[in-house]
Amino acid sequence: MENQTTVPYFLLLEFSKNKHLKFLHFFFFFVLYLTTVTTNLLIISAITFDHRLHRPMYFFLMNLALQDLGIVSIIVPKSMINYITDNRCISYFGCVAQIFLFTSFLSSDFFLLTAMAYDRYVAICHPLHYEMVMNWKYCIEIIILVWVTGLFWGMLNATSTFSIPFCSNVVNQFFCELPHLLKLSCSGINLIEVGILVAGIITAVGCFTFIVVSYAVIFKTVLRIPSKNGRQKSLSTCIPHLTVVSMLISSGSIANLRPTSNTPSYLDFGLTVLYTLLPPMFNPIIYSMKNTNIKSALFQFWRF
């Protein structure tokens, strides 16, 4: 294609020309999507309808489930439709929407996990002040800040990405992923994109450092709890969150720090699935495994 600022559409990754493999790919995505939607909707419903879960920790968890639903719903249905209809196309504005919404939800996810670390810090290290500090007004303000910051970050990335000229419209991924789109640039990464990238790295490192320091203090406090049951109860609310954070950061780092290839790569595909689809699917399961309140609420909800 000739060098141009705007292309009419993009061509997403073609998994295979074999119809059986295409159906297998569609079925794989369908199972992942159905499982993710079902588990997250169960968490949202249980927290909404069970008054015992109307507490800050579960309020944050419900928003995390909403964000995870957003992440998979932006990229998976379009990919399934493309494979079942044998069509690789996504419109220019559809690609803009994917970049904006996916980046917004993913960054909001990370900001919320940082807020959840602070919630656990206050609950375990300053239990007598928890009700006063983590009141509903403050929790709602945190959630609004998380969502607004995520949307702002998504807008910055979408604006800067689509301000560059593209020399090709072939995206070697099953959705419009930012690193693969930047690979199509005729002029390389511009200064605005570099600035946003640096700001993103600084923000991510800052959030990660805050989470690590928070949990270092939390575990130090937990070790001082005299009763074994008290330690186990405290850890049961921390370990799921720490597991989710570790899974998101490790998979995202591996996928995004690895140089993108100029040709379709199954490794790129697998790593992208690892950080985009698996965390949203496993998050509700991880949080439910050791939390008796959620398991009880889900059981009651399932009975109705």
Side-chain angles (χ1 to χ4, degrees):
M1 295 183 62
E2 293 182 0
N3 293 0
Q4 52 187 38
T5 303
T6 305
V7 295
Y9 59 87
F10 291 93
L11 295 175
L12 300 177
L13 177 68
E14 184 177 31
F15 182 71
S16 173
K17 295 184 181 295
N18 187 296
K19 289 185 178 180
H20 297 292
L21 289 178
K22 282 185 178 180
F23 178 77
L24 182 65
H25 189 193
F26 172 84
F27 182 73
F28 171 70
F29 268 39
F30 177 75
V31 171
L32 280 179
Y33 185 64
L34 184 63
T35 305
T36 302
V37 170
T38 302
T39 53
N40 280 284
L41 283 179
L42 282 173
I43 289 290
I44 293 169
S45 302
I47 294 173
T48 301
F49 294 108
D50 195 319
H51 69 278
R52 295 172 301 174
L53 302 182
H54 292 176
R55 288 187 277 171
M57 182 178 76
Y58 301 109
F59 177 59
F60 291 146
L61 181 57
M62 183 177 70
N63 278 271
L64 183 67
L66 286 170
Q67 291 167 352
D68 288 341
L69 277 176
I71 289 173
V72 295
S73 297
I74 290 161
I75 59 177
V76 177
K78 175 61 178 175
S79 181
M80 289 194 299
I81 291 171
N82 281 7
Y83 284 117
I84 206 69
T85 59
D86 197 23
N87 179 18
R88 297 170 57 194
C89 292
I90 181 172
S91 68
Y92 178 85
F93 291 105
C95 196
V96 173
Q98 277 197 344
I99 287 289
F100 168 65
L101 292 173
F102 178 76
T103 308
S104 297
F105 280 117
L106 193 63
S107 55
S108 296
D109 221 37
F110 196 50
F111 294 144
L112 182 56
L113 289 171
T114 306
M116 291 172 75
Y118 176 70
D119 173 72
R120 291 300 83 207
Y121 163 77
V122 177
I124 295 173
C125 300
H126 304 282
L128 298 179
H129 298 92
Y130 182 74
E131 296 292 337
M132 180 180 67
V133 175
M134 300 302 295
N135 57 71
W136 278 110
K137 181 177 180 294
Y138 186 54
C139 290
I140 291 172
E141 288 175 351
I142 289 176
I143 290 299
I144 291 174
L145 180 62
V146 164
W147 283 99
V148 170
T149 306
L151 290 172
F152 177 71
W153 200 251
M155 182 183 68
L156 279 180
N157 278 276
T159 303
S160 62
T161 300
F162 291 94
S163 65
I164 60 177
F166 295 108
C167 289
S168 171
N169 67 341
V170 180
V171 182
N172 291 321
Q173 195 51 268
F174 65 93
F175 72 102
C176 289
E177 191 182 25
L178 190 59
H180 286 275
L181 277 176
L182 295 177
K183 196 82 174 177
L184 307 180
S185 170
C186 298
S187 57
I189 300 178
N190 58 22
L191 292 177
I192 297 175
E193 188 63 42
V194 170
I196 293 174
L197 180 64
V198 171
I201 292 173
I202 293 173
T203 303
V205 170
C207 290
F208 179 69
T209 303
F210 181 85
I211 293 171
V212 170
V213 172
S214 297
Y215 273 96
V217 178
I218 286 171
F219 286 130
K220 185 177 179 181
T221 303
V222 168
L223 292 175
R224 294 175 181 171
I225 298 176
S227 67
K228 184 178 179 180
N229 288 336
R231 290 195 297 270
Q232 289 178 343
K233 186 177 179 180
S234 298
L235 288 174
S236 68
T237 63
C238 294
I239 290 177
H241 178 256
L242 202 56
T243 303
V244 169
V245 171
S246 302
M247 184 169 60
L248 179 64
I249 292 176
S250 58
S251 60
S253 299
I254 293 171
N256 287 290
L257 294 180
R258 181 180 179 272
T260 55
S261 59
N262 293 319
T263 56
S265 167
Y266 288 114
L267 180 59
D268 282 344
F269 173 80
L271 289 174
T272 301
V273 168
L274 188 65
Y275 91 93
T276 56
L277 305 185
L278 295 189
M281 182 179 71
F282 284 115
N283 285 353
I285 299 171
I286 292 170
Y287 275 106
S288 302
M289 284 177 61
K290 287 186 172 291
N291 195 302
T292 55
N293 290 333
I294 292 181
K295 286 191 287 188
S296 175
L298 287 172
F299 178 73
Q300 292 294 330
F301 182 77
W302 190 259
R303 288 179 61 185
F304 288 105

